[in-house]
Amino acid sequence: MKLFFIRPYLHFTKSQRLGLFTLISLIVVLQAILWYQPLWYVPEPLPKEARVWLQDTASERLVHTYKPYPIKPFNPNFITEYKAFRWGMSVASYQRLQAFRAQGKFVNSTREFQEVTQVPDTILKKMAPYFKFPAWVNSFKKSKTQRFMLAEAVQKKIVKKDINAATAEDLILVRGIGPVLSERILKYRVALGAFVAMSQLQEVYGLKEEVYETLLEHFAVVQPPVLEKIKINDATIKELGAFPYFRYPVSRNIVAYRSMNGPIRFEDLTNVKGISVEKIKIIALYL
């Protein structure tokens, strides 16, 4: 195939050929100079004074940039693995602390921290000044003797009243008891005839556990009450049903058992359907 169509572009005059040769030669020379310069160019060394000055200024910048940060107080219960490593704790010590914390427990003193983790005294001496425990831990660091004396003094101040002689006004003074709840307690006492145990207050509808615990601090069954005994072998279904523990259909079951097996004895109460086995001892006091 003849390339006659590009032939006009390949035809140069003598002056053009001379110019191209000169340009190519110049480019090759410049490239050779740039390529071989590191072999023959050696920079002059800096004076000693200049080198010392550069080293000093570089070290000053380094110190200024990477100055150490102050160590802040921390709660050792929440120490991280990285921070434990920085303080010098061993892996075993850190794992002991984590196992202790997994039980839902907390270390509340430097001594307890060492007992749990078994860290050496040298490491504890470095860490202890930065321990920061919650404020409530520090406020309750009293000896057992002091706490016992305080509890004894508080107990002496509270004179417990007889729950069977308490009035609505007495009950309302207890935190958590209002007019409605005090009226329920008094009505339940009337239905029973009297309280023979403080645990019977838990049977009052709407009485919360924390309020019951507060009642135990202010009231008690001071004297055994004089009860009007229920004649379980003679009472009718209606008479038995008036007793809170023998509400219908328990009263019906009692009469049915009595008619089929004869007079009921104390040990027979467990055979009557509906009677609470847990309360048999209390029920027996009313019979």
Side-chain angles (χ1 to χ4, degrees), residues 115-218:
E115 290 176 355
V116 172
T117 60
Q118 300 179 17
V119 295
D121 294 338
T122 54
I123 295 178
L124 184 67
K125 188 176 180 180
K126 294 188 298 182
M127 299 178 68
Y130 299 99
F131 284 172
K132 183 179 180 181
F133 297 102
W136 64 267
V137 173
N138 298 324
S139 63
F140 281 94
K141 282 184 178 178
K142 296 181 179 180
S143 65
K144 292 183 179 180
T145 304
Q146 289 176 319
R147 292 198 296 269
F148 176 78
M149 293 175 62
L150 181 61
E152 190 178 29
V154 172
Q155 190 174 10
K156 287 181 179 179
K157 290 181 180 179
I158 299 176
V159 179
K160 293 186 178 182
K161 297 182 179 180
D162 195 334
I163 189 64
N164 289 311
T167 62
E169 290 75 13
D170 295 332
L171 295 171
I172 290 175
L173 293 177
V174 177
R175 184 175 182 180
I177 296 181
V180 176
L181 198 53
S182 64
E183 189 65 25
R184 287 179 189 168
I185 294 173
L186 296 179
K187 285 184 178 181
Y188 193 61
R189 187 178 69 185
V190 171
L192 289 171
F195 291 114
V196 296
M198 289 297 292
S199 60
Q200 291 176 290
L201 288 167
Q202 293 178 300
E203 300 163 9
V204 177
Y205 174 75
L207 186 68
K208 297 181 179 179
E209 182 67 25
E210 56 268 21
V211 180
Y212 167 70
E213 295 293 337
T214 308
L215 278 171
L216 295 181
E217 297 175 1
H218 295 83

Side-chain angles (χ1 to χ4, degrees), residues 4 59 91 101 116 132 171 199 205 213 231 261-262 264:
F4 60 89
S59 60
V91 176
R101 289 283 292 107
V116 172
K132 183 179 180 181
L171 295 171
S199 60
Y205 174 75
E213 295 293 337
K231 298 179 180 180
N261 300 280
I264 297 177

Side-chain angles (χ1 to χ4, degrees), residues 1-8 10:
M1 181 178 178
K2 296 182 179 180
L3 302 177
F4 60 89
F5 57 90
I6 64 171
R7 184 175 298 173
L10 299 177

Side-chain angles (χ1 to χ4, degrees), residues 14 16 25 35 77 85 93 105 115 121 131 145 152 163 176 188 196 216 221 231 266 275 278:
K14 184 177 181 180
Q16 289 175 341
S25 301
W35 179 264
N77 289 287
F85 168 76
S93 296
K105 300 178 181 179
E115 290 176 355
D121 294 338
F131 284 172
T145 304
E152 190 178 29
I163 189 64
Y188 193 61
V196 296
L216 295 181
V221 180
K231 298 179 180 180
F266 172 75
I275 294 181
E278 294 81 6

Side-chain angles (χ1 to χ4, degrees), residues 237-265:
I237 294 177
K238 183 177 181 180
E239 291 171 341
L240 291 171
F243 186 55
Y245 296 118
F246 291 161
R247 299 294 188 191
Y248 191 87
V250 177
S251 59
R252 183 192 63 186
N253 296 336
I254 293 173
V255 173
Y257 184 89
R258 189 177 65 192
S259 61
M260 295 176 62
N261 300 280
I264 297 177
R265 298 170 297 178

